Amino acid sequence: MKDAFTNLKKEFTDSIKRGGFRFVNVLKWVLIGAAIGGLCGLLGTAFDITVNFALNLRAANSWIIYLAPLGGLLITAIYTLLKVRGQDTNTIITAVHSSSKVSIKLFPSIYLGTAITHLVGGSAGREGAALQMGGSLGSFVGRGLRLKNEDLSIAVLAGMAGYFSAIFGTPIAAAIFVITIIRIGVSIFDALVPCVSSALAAYGIAKLLGVEGTHFNVSAPAFDWIMLLRVAALAVLSTVVAVIFYKTIHGAGKLFSKIIPNLWLRAAIGGCCIIAFALIYGSQRYSGTGMGIITEAIENGQAFWWDWILKIVLTAITLGMGFKGGEVVPSFFVGATFGCFMGGILGLDPGFAAAVGLVCVFCAATNSPLASIILAMELFGSGGLVYYALACALSFILSGNSSLYSAQKVEELSAFFAEDESKGEDTAE
């Protein structure tokens, strides 16, 4: 009886100790995540203001487009001077895999490079900058706190989640996105607490400082089997467009590097190409982020059938020639305008179809089905959740083992991918 009481007392004491250790560990990561997120919120707000200023300045002064060659040379000079040439989002993902540090010099490089790209009329997004700047900030804070290598990787992820959340105003999608894109098929749930903490802190600060998150007014149809089939058809077609998108981005980078090996010359010629494109197709519709066109497609159901094609072309020229920025917002543009156009053909409301197209292209290009579903809810509301979930599931499976990010590692998911070993071969800056 005495031995039984002693064992029970020991088990109870051990449980208290384990619970106390978990509480302290969770509290530690909540505080670290919040600290990283707070920094990301402040600097993310500054970045958002900078990019919007660049876009508005170019919109008010159309002649700035003629500075594109100079802008390309300036970006090349910045990356060369700070010795971060060739570093991009794949660098951040690789750092998480290898538990290595990320140079803080990447932060000012991508910050200035993205701002210059938008100023001179290139087509790019902001999330590439968000992931890179957030990762470098997370690594910087982690090193300052003297975290161990494996913990440093979690700090990098927390930085990525925080900055993504500050820029887009989608904290939950940001947290899920960064813990699922690193290793497809395996989520890094050790980083869930710090990533959520960071994303919420960054979102709160950015919102407090006046950064409006990305949200759209979408009217989703009531559940209907015929409507479900139409959405499935749109998901299949949007997946094809997504593959065209990331294959073109990837191929353009390789092609331009082969044809014009000199970085400086390639940047200058790329600027000339941006000018030529603007003179032919206009300097506003396809340059920059294109958020106005995305909003028009989703909320008003208005887009030209060729919008998605020209956006792919200009984005490929911009990123392939050495300008900086991300691919996610261009993927939003491509998906929204294609979905808007195709929705009318399939008997779907064009605005709702644009929303479906957006999440399908994003999901297929990044291999992030869970994050895509949550993103759809944060962007469009939960009214069409069944349709968005179906569309994301189909786009993820049908896109196969391919991705914008070559550094992604893939676990064997199912028989769907048994014969496909191409995952990670496609990459873009």
Side-chain angles (χ1 to χ4, degrees):
M1 184 71 178
K2 182 178 180 180
D3 290 341
F5 178 77
T6 302
N7 291 335
L8 184 62
K9 180 180 179 182
K10 184 177 183 301
E11 289 179 6
F12 179 76
T13 303
D14 290 342
S15 296
I16 293 296
K17 289 180 179 179
R18 287 195 298 269
F21 173 78
R22 291 194 186 100
F23 175 78
V24 171
N25 196 47
V26 168
L27 180 61
K28 178 189 79 171
W29 280 113
V30 167
L31 294 176
I32 291 175
I36 293 173
L39 184 59
C40 289
L42 291 172
L43 295 176
T45 299
F47 178 68
D48 185 75
I49 292 172
T50 301
V51 170
N52 287 333
F53 175 78
L55 291 171
N56 292 332
L57 184 62
R58 176 172 51 80
N61 301 275
S62 58
W63 58 267
I64 290 179
I65 198 81
Y66 295 104
L67 298 179
L70 179 61
L73 292 174
L74 184 56
I75 292 171
T76 303
I78 292 171
Y79 271 72
T80 301
L81 181 64
L82 296 181
K83 299 180 180 179
V84 291
R85 184 186 293 175
Q87 295 188 27
D88 56 14
T89 304
N90 286 308
T91 304
I92 307 296
I93 296 175
T94 300
V96 175
H97 287 310
S98 61
S99 298
S100 58
K101 68 178 183 179
V102 180
S103 173
I104 191 61
K105 293 179 181 179
L106 185 58
F107 180 90
S109 301
I110 189 63
Y111 189 113
L112 296 173
T114 303
I116 293 170
T117 296
H118 286 87
L119 177 64
V120 299
S123 171
R126 296 172 294 174
E127 97 299 329
L131 295 176
Q132 293 171 48
M133 286 189 288
S136 63
L137 284 175
S139 180
F140 179 75
V141 172
R143 294 199 308 275
L145 295 174
R146 300 184 182 279
L147 297 179
K148 295 181 293 184
N149 284 345
E150 56 269 26
D151 289 343
L152 186 62
S153 295
I154 295 178
V156 171
L157 290 173
M160 295 167 70
Y163 224 100
F164 194 103
S165 174
I167 296 299
F168 285 102
T170 54
I172 306 305
I176 300 301
F177 179 66
V178 300
I179 69 172
T180 55
I181 66 164
I182 301 299
R183 187 183 294 274
I184 306 305
V186 176
S187 299
I188 308 177
F189 283 109
D190 285 349
L192 182 60
V193 168
C195 283
V196 170
S197 176
S198 176
L200 290 174
Y203 172 71
I205 289 177
K207 192 173 182 63
L208 184 66
L209 294 176
V211 176
E212 296 294 332
T214 306
H215 305 287
F216 302 96
N217 295 318
V218 179
S219 296
F223 180 81
D224 178 82
W225 288 106
I226 299 300
M227 192 64 65
L228 205 64
L229 291 175
R230 290 173 176 171
V231 169
L234 178 58
V236 172
L237 295 173
S238 296
T239 303
V240 174
V241 170
V243 174
I244 294 172
F245 171 69
Y246 61 68
K247 290 284 187 182
T248 302
I249 300 297
H250 169 62
K254 285 189 172 181
L255 178 63
F256 296 148
S257 297
K258 185 176 181 179
I259 296 175
I260 316 171
N262 186 283
L263 290 173
W264 301 87
L265 181 60
R266 187 161 69 244
I269 294 177
C272 294
C273 291
I274 290 174
I275 294 173
F277 192 96
L279 291 175
I280 297 172
Y281 298 109
S283 61
Q284 301 299 330
R285 189 169 184 84
Y286 305 106
S287 299
T289 60
M291 287 302 299
I293 307 303
I294 296 171
T295 302
E296 185 72 12
I298 295 174
E299 297 191 348
N300 297 323
Q302 299 292 323
F304 299 121
W305 69 264
W306 59 81
D307 278 338
W308 65 277
I309 299 174
L310 295 183
K311 187 63 174 180
I312 291 176
V313 172
L314 184 56
T315 305
I317 291 172
T318 300
L319 300 180
M321 286 293 197
F323 289 79
K324 301 300 177 182
E327 310 90 352
V328 166
V329 175
S331 80
F332 285 0
F333 186 111
V334 170
T337 54
F338 175 78
C340 182
F341 159 69
M342 189 55 62
I345 297 176
L346 294 174
L348 295 166
D349 175 78
F352 170 67
V356 173
L358 184 153
V359 294
C360 281
V361 173
F362 171 76
C363 180
T366 60
N367 283 302
S368 54
L370 181 57
S372 298
I373 295 171
I374 296 173
L375 181 70
M377 293 176 64
E378 291 190 306
L379 291 179
F380 313 127
S382 60
L385 178 58
V386 172
Y387 298 117
Y388 300 136
L390 172 66
C392 290
L394 287 174
S395 64
F396 174 66
I397 294 298
L398 295 176
S399 63
N401 284 350
S402 50
S403 171
L404 274 171
Y405 308 120
S406 63
Q408 283 179 326
K409 291 185 178 180
V410 184
E411 301 297 324
E412 189 61 53
L413 299 178
S414 67
F416 285 113
F417 298 150
E419 302 299 324
D420 188 352
E421 299 181 358
S422 62
K423 173 75 78 176
E425 292 180 0
D426 298 313
T427 180
E429 252 187 27

